[in-house]
Amino acid sequence: MERLREEKVFKDPVHRYVHVRDKLIWDLIGTKEFQRLRRIRQLGTCYVTFHGAEHSRFNHSLGVYEVMRRIVKQFEGRIHFSPEEKLLCFSAALLHDIGHGPFSHSFEKVFHTDHEEWTQRILLGDTEANRVLRTVSPDFPQKVAQVIGKTYENKLITSLISSQFDADRMDYLLRDTYYTGTNYGSFDIERILRVMRPYNNMVVIKHTGMHAVEDYIVARYQMYWQVYFHPVTRSAEVILQKIFQRVHVLYGSGYVFARNPDHFIRLFKKHITLEEYLALDEPVVLFYMCEWSKEKDPILRDLCDRFINRRLFKYIEHDERITGPEWRRELQERFRQAGIDPNYYLVEDSPSDLPYDIYRIGDDSGERIPIYLLMPDGNLEELSLRSAIVESISGKRRYDYKLYFPLDLLEDGTKDQRVVNEIKQLLRITNRAAL
Ligand code: NI
């Protein structure tokens, strides 16, 4: 395994330095598929809420590699990794997000693409990354793809990439905290690395590290609700989805675009090539948004202008289990009466997440495998049995239904005032300042 003559370091605001000693890793970073990650933000539309959140999947991926490097180093002496296994861990960490498209969340929802499937295609297809990986051995790209796809035979290695305690999560919590300028996601990574232990096929935590782990679980819980599911970020995401949807509909109806959606046509037809997929990044999408904000079609024009200039939809809390479907139909009807198309301007959204779930052990995604503490007598104990803090947030699903709509369109003075008032009553908007 070829080493670099001199160690390379990247200055990193989260881990201070990212250290690269293997030629393989250095070469992978230089591939065009990896460099493309500079043009895809880690948190999609989050920057409309937290303006610092402009960091890319490139710097996150370097961070995951660095965390992995430290875990492997920490495990030395407790477990034997061959030189090839070490490179496997490092490569999988570095490349785990390589299949992401622009604004992944909205993009995948509308076009039904799957970044995990694209990761596999990039690793195994005719790409620079594939050629670099093959310098280790002909089946090395396949092994990296298996580790990322969680099908690799050595479960300890896959769990370092995807489990409750993996290099990916540890980096993104710290990184997203740093770049959003919030404090919710911070935890003591040095301490956690010190108390992680390989145990059969999994990673467990030495009992003395319980409080550091509690901190990490609570950090995750806080980040989901304060940052990842932030309703304003979701408003921008909803608008983005509606833009893609509108373009698709217009394209299907034979509408003549001033700026033809060339980069998206093969997506609409569902046979996009690897090369075309890799050509899609956020600057490309934003270019189209700017162009389409001048289109003749009023809906596409308005939605793009909203996205570019951050004229977002407002929202109310909404749970259809309480209001029933009739309420929604009535609201849609009033929107139509006001001349606003509810297919684009009345949107429901509901993310949910389990912060720490011990009850789905059979789930082979690996992400719900419980966290075990290694007790002084050598036995394992499940974390929530020991920690009252973790117990209190375990296995509880929290729902968050919101209904998004453009209040400014309702209030622009051109709509039938009677209908607008009826809409506001249905939406229970009595106090505008509360929105
Ligand atoms: Ni990641």
Side-chain angles (χ1 to χ4, degrees), residues 100-150:
H100 273 282
F103 301 108
S104 296
H105 262 82
S106 321
F107 198 78
E108 293 191 0
K109 222 167 163 176
V110 177
F111 296 120
H112 307 292
T113 55
D114 173 13
H115 69 265
E116 293 183 4
E117 192 189 318
W118 281 105
T119 298
Q120 303 286 322
R121 285 179 69 175
I122 293 166
L123 296 176
L124 304 176
D126 179 16
T127 56
E128 290 183 9
N130 178 272
R131 281 192 286 285
V132 171
L133 290 171
R134 281 153 81 84
T135 59
V136 178
S137 68
D139 64 347
F140 194 68
Q142 187 66 50
K143 286 182 182 169
V144 174
Q146 284 171 344
V147 171
I148 297 174
K150 299 165 220 155

Side-chain angles (χ1 to χ4, degrees), residues 31-46:
T31 61
K32 62 181 179 191
E33 296 85 21
F34 192 77
Q35 290 291 319
R36 168 180 170 274
L37 298 179
R38 290 181 188 274
R39 305 190 296 277
I40 295 181
R41 291 188 188 88
Q42 172 69 9
L43 290 182
T45 59
C46 186

Side-chain angles (χ1 to χ4, degrees), residues 40-47 50 53-57 103 105 172 175-177 179-180 223 227-228 233 237 282:
I40 295 181
R41 291 188 188 88
Q42 172 69 9
L43 290 182
T45 59
C46 186
Y47 65 91
F50 299 95
E54 295 274 357
H55 56 305
S56 68
R57 294 206 178 266
F103 301 108
H105 262 82
Y172 78 60
R175 190 165 302 276
D176 297 344
T177 294
Y179 283 97
T180 52
M223 281 300 277
V227 176
Y228 302 139
T233 306
E237 227 170 67
E282 289 178 7

Side-chain angles (χ1 to χ4, degrees), residues 18 47 57 62 106 170-171 185 206 234 289 293 306 316 337 353 397 405 410:
V18 173
Y47 65 91
R57 294 206 178 266
L62 283 182
S106 321
M170 282 196 254
D171 181 79
K206 192 181 164 197
R234 281 156 58 194
M289 302 285 155
S293 70
R306 283 177 185 279
I316 56 162
Q337 287 170 4
D353 180 57
R397 190 178 280 277
F405 57 92
L410 291 170

